[in-house]
Amino acid sequence: MNRPSLWFQIVNYAFFILLSIVTLYPFWYTLVGSLVPFEEFADQALLLLPRYVTFQAYEQIFETSTIPNAYGITAFSTIVGTALNLLFTSIGAYVLSRRNLPGKMIFFTAILFTMLFSGGLIPIYLTLHSYGLINNVWVYILPSLINTFYLIIMKTSFHSIPDSLEEAAEIDGCSHFGILFRIFLPLSLPVLATLGLFYAVDRWNELFTALFFITDTDKYTLQAVLYNMLTSVDTTTQNVITTDRENMATEQVKLATIIVAIVPILLVYPFLQRFFIKGVLIGSVKG
């Protein structure tokens, strides 16, 4: 390797190492800040390694019912919602991938229209109210059963499956649901895992639905509770944070809540990572 290339490699590695440190430090600060005692948290502006570890902030979070209740609602919305998302997205993609579907372009254009234009907040609220979904936990799931962009990705993936497999299944007397669940979905596991991850992240990070359509704070998602904690000026109005314990900073409780909110979705990603790139390419490239 000549000298200019060597210096380029050194500068390149140094730049990306520095960029990684700058990117990861806020997460590290949040984790360490939630674990150290109050005195260490108050005295050190730069938290690198904790001298002492305490779980008082996490204990205080789960002493009240607000965080566990929000955790349960978010988990319900993520698990049930993601499963229904994949089911209805798969059915919709299978229908749109039929080459002999009458009026196929009309249906596809109507679906694509929803991706570009929205009815607005007030019509959506009135529609949800007419179905009894206001202040109902199913409002987190039913109005967003299908994401148009993900539907298009799965439809493109289904197009890549050879027609001969479908024809062989039809000769054997397989119905459309049989073809979908016995042939298309088993052959589309990478794109299913990828879209499942996308849907799960969207569900887990759900915020505005709770703020707009939920009035009962007991039905708030974890992100909505965290949002209220981080934006509230008067901590006396927060039923999440108590002041019974000494040496417990409100900021540390907030940091612990952030960790509790992001760790589950981070733990899911490594198990689906091997499907991620392959799934995206299957749904976006055809050749």
Side-chain angles (χ1 to χ4, degrees), residues 170-190:
E170 290 178 350
I171 293 174
D172 291 337
C174 201
S175 64
H176 285 292
F177 278 102
I179 295 173
L180 173 62
F181 288 102
R182 295 181 181 180
I183 297 178
F184 278 67
L185 293 185
L187 293 176
S188 303
L189 287 181

Side-chain angles (χ1 to χ4, degrees), residues 169-242:
E170 290 178 350
I171 293 174
D172 291 337
C174 201
S175 64
H176 285 292
F177 278 102
I179 295 173
L180 173 62
F181 288 102
R182 295 181 181 180
I183 297 178
F184 278 67
L185 293 185
L187 293 176
S188 303
L189 287 181
V191 72
L192 279 175
T194 301
L195 296 185
L197 179 62
F198 288 162
Y199 273 126
V201 172
D202 292 342
R203 296 289 187 184
W204 189 266
N205 293 329
E206 183 61 59
L207 171 62
F208 293 106
T209 299
L211 298 182
F212 292 153
F213 307 121
I214 298 294
T215 58
D216 185 0
T217 56
D218 290 336
K219 297 178 181 178
Y220 269 8
T221 59
L222 188 61
Q223 304 300 332
V225 172
L226 179 60
Y227 173 82
N228 284 342
M229 290 177 59
L230 296 178
T231 58
S232 179
V233 177
D234 184 9
T235 57
T236 61
T237 62
Q238 298 180 16
N239 58 358
V240 179
I241 301 176
T242 60

Side-chain angles (χ1 to χ4, degrees), residues 3-276:
R3 186 174 296 273
S5 299
L6 177 62
W7 278 108
F8 173 79
Q9 292 288 348
I10 294 175
V11 173
N12 194 36
Y13 279 112
F15 172 76
F16 281 103
I17 291 174
L18 180 61
L19 182 63
S20 300
I21 294 174
V22 172
T23 304
L24 294 176
Y25 179 73
F27 297 97
W28 181 251
Y29 175 87
T30 303
L31 176 62
V32 175
S34 66
L35 293 174
V36 298
F38 172 76
E39 294 79 6
E40 185 175 350
F41 178 77
D43 293 341
Q44 298 186 19
L46 188 65
L47 295 174
L48 296 178
L49 292 175
R51 289 176 294 182
Y52 303 98
V53 175
T54 177
F55 295 95
Q56 290 182 350
Y58 295 92
E59 294 174 0
Q60 187 163 343
I61 286 176
F62 291 100
E63 279 182 354
T64 63
S65 61
T66 304
I67 294 297
N69 186 62
Y71 220 103
I73 292 176
T74 302
F76 170 78
S77 173
T78 302
I79 297 173
V80 177
T82 301
L84 293 177
N85 282 141
L86 293 178
L87 174 63
F88 283 91
T89 302
S90 301
I91 294 175
Y94 176 79
V95 173
L96 292 176
S97 65
R98 302 303 84 208
R99 292 175 173 82
N100 57 351
L101 176 68
K104 176 179 177 179
M105 289 307 300
I106 298 177
F107 289 119
F108 185 74
T109 303
I111 293 173
L112 187 63
F113 183 85
T114 64
M115 183 179 177
L116 305 175
F117 301 96
S118 173
L121 181 59
I122 295 178
I124 292 176
Y125 182 91
L126 294 176
T127 301
L128 296 179
H129 184 271
S130 64
Y131 285 102
L133 292 177
I134 300 300
N135 209 32
N136 189 323
V137 293
W138 285 99
V139 75
Y140 297 120
I141 298 176
L142 297 181
S144 54
L145 281 177
I146 298 179
N147 182 293
T148 306
F149 180 69
Y150 301 160
L151 175 68
I152 295 174
I153 292 178
M154 185 166 288
K155 168 183 171 294
T156 307
S157 174
F158 286 171
H159 273 305
S160 64
I161 297 177
D163 295 337
S164 57
L165 292 177
E166 182 180 353
E167 293 172 357
E170 290 178 350
I171 293 174
D172 291 337
C174 201
S175 64
H176 285 292
F177 278 102
I179 295 173
L180 173 62
F181 288 102
R182 295 181 181 180
I183 297 178
F184 278 67
L185 293 185
L187 293 176
S188 303
L189 287 181
V191 72
L192 279 175
T194 301
L195 296 185
L197 179 62
F198 288 162
Y199 273 126
V201 172
D202 292 342
R203 296 289 187 184
W204 189 266
N205 293 329
E206 183 61 59
L207 171 62
F208 293 106
T209 299
L211 298 182
F212 292 153
F213 307 121
I214 298 294
T215 58
D216 185 0
T217 56
D218 290 336
K219 297 178 181 178
Y220 269 8
T221 59
L222 188 61
Q223 304 300 332
V225 172
L226 179 60
Y227 173 82
N228 284 342
M229 290 177 59
L230 296 178
T231 58
S232 179
V233 177
D234 184 9
T235 57
T236 61
T237 62
Q238 298 180 16
N239 58 358
V240 179
I241 301 176
T242 60
T243 58
D244 296 332
R245 298 194 178 189
E246 297 179 356
N247 299 334
M248 177 52 57
T250 301
E251 289 77 10
Q252 287 184 280
V253 179
K254 293 179 180 179
L255 295 179
T257 307
I258 294 174
I259 294 298
V260 168
I262 65 176
V263 163
I265 205 68
L266 291 178
L267 295 178
V268 172
Y269 179 76
F271 296 99
L272 300 178
Q273 185 178 12
R274 63 192 182 99
F275 296 109
F276 188 79

